[in-house]
Every structure is written in structure tokens, then in C-alpha cells.
Amino acid sequence: IQEHKSTQVAKTFRKAINRKEGILAIGGTSELSSEGTQHSYSEEERFAFVNWINSALENDPDCKHVLPMDPNTDDLFTSLGDGILLCKMINLSMPDTIDERTINKKKLTHFTTQENLNLALNSASAIGCHVVNIGAMDLREGKPHLVLGLLWQIIAGMKVDGETLEDLMKLSPEELLLRWANYHLENAGYQKISNFSSDIKDSRAYFHLLNQISPKGTEEDQPRIDINMSGYSEKDDLKRAEAMLQQADRLGCRQFVTPADVVNGNPKLNLAFVANLFNKYPALTKPENEDIDWGLLEGETREERTFRNWMNSLGVSPTVNHLYVDLQDALVILQLYEKINVPVDWDNKVNKPPYPKLGTNMKKLENCNYAVDLGKTAKFSLVGIGGQDLNDGNATLTLAVMWQIMRRYTLKVLENLGCGQKVDDNIIVEWVNKTLADAGKSSKITSFKDKEISTSLAVVELIDAIQPGSINFDLVKTGSLSEDDKLENAKYAISMANLVEVKPKMVMTVFACLMGRGMNHV
Ligand SMILES: *[C@@H]1O[C@H](CO)[C@@H](O)[C@H](O)[C@H]1NC(C)=O
Ligand SMILES: *[C@@H]1O[C@H](CO)[C@@H](O)[C@H](O)[C@H]1NC(C)=O
Ligand SMILES: *[C@@H]1O[C@H](CO)[C@@H](O)[C@H](O)[C@H]1NC(C)=O
Ligand SMILES: *[C@@H]1O[C@H](CO)[C@@H](O)[C@H](O)[C@H]1NC(C)=O
Ligand SMILES: *[C@@H]1O[C@H](CO)[C@@H](O)[C@H](O)[C@H]1NC(C)=O
């Protein structure tokens, strides 16, 4: 069994969020909104994010020049201007998204900070954030609503979901947290909630939740804590919320929300509050009494991540969090078909959510069957692949389909580049060879099966050919390379491909194409 990178994501996040001295409690101490100043953004969010970032990056030497930020001022918006904090946050959200060496940290000029900001935006997009309306200028100028919007996406994108139950995997963190909360509320005999806004305003669901998850003294390192429910019958909403937060405080979880945020039902901050509770006290009893199996939930190979990032960068909806589970109703596959000009009959052939309570899976299976049929008309090689396999989330077969779609997409992009003819592998190889040769590079590839591809040198040179001077060749390993060296090069290449602005999609797809072949997938 592989040790998965993304397993560590969860651990990193848990660690960051669990650190006792870390996130400041926002209880009552904030001097916000007392002046009656009008802001077009949420000061509560700013306050929470600043504290979060201060704590998450406090030991990062590259951030010393801006940290700690003062949560009571607009520090945040100026501190983000050089792009370094953002890159760091994104990398924390999804480790290894950004190669350390691609961030400009010294000699910060207008130009180098611009590069950092572009790197941040491109990487944010690659991990599934929607950055359509945000430009480097907005970040440099620190436009509050855009900055907060992006930060929220980055923070919310951090993996806070975790459970062994496989079907939980398909849920986005918010849905997962609702489901988790409802699991406990049901055990408490309390009504379910359907959001973290109106439904939690009276704090009563929270009281029950805290009572369910508080340590019962059955585990060695966690002394028993009994939640004092007397505040439950408090008549005033704000006082009830305060009483509830005092109990949360006893669990070390008075974070992200003030009583007013609870009573106003601020959905984002309440989501953060619950995410933190979940991380500290999942309180999920399992028959085998084993630790939460993060690996099962989050184990993702490099190849899977490549596919997932690729789809998300094309803007499929909903965002794909888990490759196989999120494709089980084929809706994303059908959206990808449209990107490769395979017409989809959405009105007559596709079942769309919400699916009926009974026969949900049948509806999804029908979509999968339709996806396979369409694939055949598009002349994909789908021998031995049925709708059922997609519906089952069979990894091998789903990847086989994905691979063909991505390949077709790559070809289409290249075609649109004006090659003017139907492109096949040979033409891509020729294009790569020619681009390299024109730029005076020594790399060449003979085919996509070329063993040399695994060194990433051709890709790195290709990037440099497309944007001369973008690659720092001191950072590229050459000669006889170990597997680790190759991985280093690949990481660097991915980061640079994100950074290079000239036709980044093409570089990424060509790159993905090369990597895909390098990984023996045909
Ligand atoms: C990104 O994350 C990885 C893994 O956590 C870490 O090794 C690397 O140093 C980080 N890069 C930056 C730029 O912080
Ligand atoms: C939250 O869910 C309840 C139903 O449980 C609904 O009445 C309410 O409108 C929802 N609030 C928001 C803000 O979506
Ligand atoms: C619970 O809280 C109430 C009100 O704050 C207090 O009077 C009571 O003593 C507390 N009970 C326990 C067992 O701590
Ligand atoms: C996926 O499909 C392949 C090919 O039919 C099969 O060999 C494999 O056992 C399937 N995997 C699972 C987990 O069912
Ligand atoms: C690419 O370059 C290699 C090495 O010179 C050569 O063997 C191959 O035929 C070229 N491929 C194409 C399609 O031009």
C-alpha cells in the first residue's frame, strides 16, 4: 500500500487547525464593528482568516516579513500584495501544488511580485478555486471582497473531510460536515439541520452536538468533559449562544464564531466552527475501533490528481473532489464530452439531480450507459467497459475512459492552435520536436513512449521554449537520474507550467499527455 501524499494533507490541516496556541478564540474580544464603520466585506471573516493564516504560517521563514498580521486592521490586504502568502496558503491547502523554488522571495519588484500573484492565481485555479473574476491587479491592490473570496475558497478547500465510509467520499466538505453533525444529532434524538445558517441560529443543535462529541473518558488521553446544558433553556438567543460557546471553549473549540455570528447564522464562519469540531472530536465509533482511515478517503495517485485538476480547470460542475465517486453519475464525463465536441442530449437522455429517493442509482447508471454509448460513437476504444463500471467507480476502467477524453481534448486544443489538420500523436511529437528545435533546445522525443520523458527535461525545455527565460536550469536535475530526481523535476515542471502564461492550457495538456504516456496508460 502506498503512503499517499494527500493523506498528509489531512494531517497537516488537522495539525494546523488543532494547534492549541494557534487560532485565536474570537470570543468577545474583537473590537470589531463598534465604531459603526461601514465595510463592504465581512470583518468577522477578515478577523478569522488573519488569525488562521498567522497561526498556519507562523513558523515559515518566508513569511516573516509580513507575519503576524493585525486582525483588527487592513493588514491582510497589504500583506498579500507580493503573492508569497497566497502561494503558501495554496500549497498548504494542497501540498506540492507549488514548488518552493518557483516563488520569488528576494528582490521583490513589481515584476517578480506579479509573477508570484500569477502563480498563486493559476495554482488556485488548478486546485479547483474559481478565480475567473480575479486578476493579479486585484490582489496587488488588496480588493477586500475578492481577496476574502479567494481566501475562503483556499481555506475551505483544505481537506477537512474524513471518514472511512466510502460513500462519504463523494460529499463536499460542507455536505460531509452536515452529515456528520446530523449523525450526532440523530443519536441525540434531535431534529436534523440542513444548513449552517438558519438552522443553527438558536444554538440548540450545537448544544446537542457538543454533548454528543465531548470526550466520555473512555480514551486514555482524553479526560471526561461533561457539557453543561443549562444554557440550553436560556431565553435570549445571544446569551444562549454565549453559553454554548463557553461549553465549546471547554473543548478547546471556541473558534471562528462570536455569539453574534451564531445568532446571525453566518454560514461560512459556522462552517469553519463545525469543521474544527469535526477535526478535534470526530467521535465516530467504529466497529473495528481503528483510527479514521484517511488513506482510503484521500489516497490519490499523481495520475488521478492530474485528471482531477484537469477537469476542474475546465470548470466542470460540481467540482470533482474524488475522481471515481464524483464521476459515478457520469454528469462530469458528459460535460467533458462537450469540451471535445461530442454532442450531449441533455434534455432527453440525461437524468439530472436531484435524483428520486428510490432508484437513485438506476438513474446514475442510465447516465453512465449513455456516456459509454456516446464514447463509442466518438470512436473511443471502450472494449470491455460498460456503464456499470463507471457507476461502480472501477478505477482502472474509469481511468481508461478519462485518458481517452483528455487525449482527445489535447488534440483538439492543438488543432485549434491552427495546425489546420487533424492532429494525431505524430503531429504532437513533431510539434514538440519543432518547438524545441526552433528554440535551440537539445531535447527531442521520438514518441510518447519515449523513456526519456520520465526525466521531464523535454517538458522543462518545452516550457522554456514557449516562454524563454522562464526556467531556471540550475534547479533542473540532469545526468543519470534517480526516481527521486525525476520526481523533483516533474514537480518543478508542473509548477512552471502553472506559471507560464502563454497558452498554459496547452502546456498543461501536452504535459499531461506526456506524463500520461510516461505512466504507461494507453
Ligand atoms: C509545499 O508543500 C510541500 C509539502 O507539504 C512542502 O514540502 C513545500 O516546502 C511547500 N512549498 C512551499 C512553497 O511552501
Ligand atoms: C436552512 O434550512 C431550513 C430548513 O431546515 C430552511 O428553512 C432555511 O431557509 C435554510 N436557510 C438558508 C439560509 O438556506
Ligand atoms: C452549569 O451552568 C450553570 C449556569 O452557568 C451553573 O449555575 C451551574 O452550576 C453549572 N453546572 C455545573 C454542573 O457546572
Ligand atoms: C475493474 O475492472 C477490471 C476489468 O474488468 C477488473 O479486472 C477489476 O477487478 C475491477 N476492479 C474492481 C475493484 O472491481
Ligand atoms: C522527433 O525527433 C526524434 C529525434 O530526432 C526523431 O527520431 C523523430 O522522428 C521526430 N519525430 C517527429 C514526429 O518528428
Side-chain angles (χ1 to χ4, degrees):
I1 305 283
Q2 321 161 35
E3 166 64 8
H4 297 295
K5 280 261 156 46
S6 32
T7 314
Q8 295 152 17
V9 181
K11 288 183 185 151
T12 313
F13 180 69
R14 272 160 74 91
K15 228 163 62 200
I17 209 166
N18 281 354
R19 239 182 336 187
K20 296 249 165 9
E21 73 283 5
I23 318 149
L24 287 182
I26 314 178
T29 53
S30 126
E31 294 148 27
L32 305 175
S33 61
S34 48
E35 270 79 33
T37 29
Q38 285 294 315
H39 284 278
S40 60
Y41 62 90
S42 155
E43 295 188 333
E44 290 85 356
E45 276 178 27
R46 183 195 67 194
F47 195 86
F49 293 169
V50 166
N51 284 323
W52 202 92
I53 296 172
N54 278 345
S55 122
L57 295 172
E58 75 182 332
N59 295 321
D60 192 321
D62 299 329
C63 301
K64 288 263 182 292
H65 64 303
V66 281
L67 296 190
M69 298 174 281
D70 181 347
N72 289 308
T73 68
D74 282 347
D75 232 8
L76 173 67
F77 305 116
T78 42
S79 303
L80 289 176
D82 65 18
I84 296 179
L85 274 189
L86 271 176
C87 287
K88 294 282 180 174
M89 291 294 295
I90 291 165
N91 193 49
L92 199 61
S93 176
M94 180 82 85
D96 285 332
T97 318
I98 297 183
D99 187 311
E100 184 79 46
R101 299 166 301 180
T102 52
I103 304 178
N104 299 309
K105 295 166 195 159
K106 301 208 185 80
K107 297 199 210 111
L108 289 173
T109 62
H110 187 87
F111 181 73
T112 55
T113 55
Q114 183 82 15
E115 280 192 336
N116 285 347
L117 290 168
N118 285 335
L119 175 62
L121 284 172
N122 289 330
S123 310
S125 166
I127 65 172
C129 298
H130 291 280
V131 296
V132 265
N133 293 320
I134 315 177
M137 266 311 266
D138 301 316
L139 298 176
R140 184 191 297 285
E141 287 168 12
K143 291 200 178 140
H145 63 291
L146 293 175
V147 167
L148 291 177
L150 179 60
L151 276 180
W152 174 254
Q153 291 191 62
I154 295 170
I155 292 175
M158 295 194 180
K159 307 260 176 162
V160 291
D161 45 355
E163 274 230 40
T164 43
L165 307 173
E166 272 203 31
D167 68 342
L168 286 195
M169 291 191 292
K170 61 171 153 289
L171 304 172
S172 72
E174 180 166 1
E175 288 167 305
L176 179 109
L177 289 171
L178 273 172
R179 194 151 163 179
W180 171 77
N182 282 328
Y183 165 84
H184 286 299
L185 291 176
E186 200 170 340
N187 287 344
Y190 192 71
Q191 73 222 40
K192 288 189 178 184
I193 56 173
S194 44
N195 50 52
F196 293 115
S197 50
S198 343
D199 283 2
I200 50 80
K201 282 179 170 184
D202 66 8
S203 301
R204 295 208 160 99
Y206 280 159
F207 263 112
H208 284 294
L209 181 58
L210 294 175
N211 197 31
Q212 288 293 313
I213 65 174
S214 66
K216 304 293 182 272
T218 47
E219 282 173 46
E220 274 177 34
D221 52 345
Q222 280 190 331
R224 185 183 175 97
I225 300 178
D226 287 315
I227 296 300
N228 183 343
M229 298 287 280
S230 70
Y232 189 86
S233 44
E234 169 65 54
K235 289 210 176 56
D236 180 70
D237 279 347
L238 270 176
K239 286 186 185 153
R240 196 182 318 111
E242 170 59 28
M244 181 279 294
L245 286 175
Q246 280 175 14
Q247 298 307 309
D249 197 20
R250 295 178 55 223
L251 299 180
C253 290
R254 183 175 185 143
Q255 275 143 9
F256 295 116
V257 288
T258 60
D261 296 327
V262 174
V263 173
N264 294 331
N266 180 318
K268 288 179 179 178
L269 296 177
N270 280 287
L271 181 68
F273 174 68
V274 175
N276 188 41
L277 286 175
F278 170 67
N279 273 283
K280 280 195 172 175
Y281 301 98
L284 296 163
T285 40
K286 278 195 230 62
E288 320 88 320
N289 199 26
E290 58 186 25
D291 198 17
I292 292 181
D293 186 351
W294 297 96
L296 182 61
L297 184 69
E298 317 209 30
E300 182 177 49
T301 64
R302 176 174 299 273
E303 183 184 24
E304 288 161 355
R305 191 198 289 188
T306 303
F307 280 131
R308 209 164 53 77
N309 286 344
W310 168 69
M311 302 175 186
N312 287 332
S313 75
L314 291 182
V316 297
S317 169
T319 302
V320 177
N321 292 314
H322 186 281
L323 189 58
Y324 308 110
V325 182
D326 288 349
L327 300 186
Q328 278 176 326
D329 65 2
L331 290 183
V332 166
I333 298 179
L334 295 172
Q335 292 170 53
L336 293 175
Y337 276 163
E338 292 204 305
K339 308 272 181 201
I340 53 171
N341 300 345
V342 175
V344 175
D345 184 352
W346 291 101
D347 290 336
N348 301 310
K349 295 279 180 59
V350 183
N351 302 312
K352 289 173 264 319
Y355 300 110
K357 277 211 167 59
L358 277 176
T360 297
N361 203 53
M362 182 52 69
K363 296 285 177 206
K364 294 182 179 177
L365 179 58
E366 283 172 7
N367 288 348
C368 292
N369 288 334
Y370 178 50
V372 170
D373 287 347
L374 276 184
K376 285 179 182 154
T377 64
K379 302 220 163 34
F380 286 146
S381 155
L382 298 171
V383 181
I385 302 179
Q388 187 71 56
D389 299 309
L390 299 177
N391 185 241
D392 289 346
N394 180 308
T396 319
L397 300 178
T398 305
L399 285 178
V401 176
M402 280 312 105
W403 165 242
Q404 297 188 58
I405 299 179
M406 185 152 107
R407 183 164 166 279
R408 183 73 59 89
Y409 178 80
T410 309
L411 297 174
K412 188 179 143 251
V413 171
L414 288 171
E415 227 163 351
N416 291 346
L417 274 179
C419 304
Q421 47 197 310
K422 218 161 174 325
V423 194
D424 59 19
D425 284 1
N426 245 347
I427 289 173
I428 303 180
V429 173
E430 239 167 59
W431 177 80
V432 172
N433 274 353
K434 183 170 184 311
T435 310
L436 287 169
D438 287 353
K441 304 289 177 196
S442 57
S443 293
K444 283 191 180 69
I445 55 171
T446 50
S447 75
F448 284 117
K449 299 201 177 81
D450 195 333
K451 291 226 164 45
E452 286 302 307
I453 288 172
S454 68
T455 66
S456 297
L457 292 178
V459 181
V460 168
E461 293 207 321
L462 188 60
I463 294 169
D464 201 60
I466 290 168
Q467 180 146 315
S470 60
I471 296 288
N472 175 356
F473 282 94
D474 291 345
L475 302 177
V476 180
K477 303 210 154 79
T478 52
S480 147
L481 300 183
S482 67
E483 288 306 307
D484 278 351
D485 291 336
K486 289 179 183 173
L487 193 62
E488 279 296 302
N489 279 354
K491 267 160 62 176
Y492 182 62
I494 292 174
S495 279
M496 292 313 298
N498 270 332
L499 176 63
V500 169
E501 279 212 299
V502 184
K503 313 214 169 63
K505 262 199 189 124
M506 188 194 60
V507 178
M508 276 312 278
T509 44
V510 168
F511 177 71
C513 196
L514 295 170
M515 286 297 284
R517 287 295 171 110
M519 288 182 281
N520 294 329
H521 253 279
V522 183

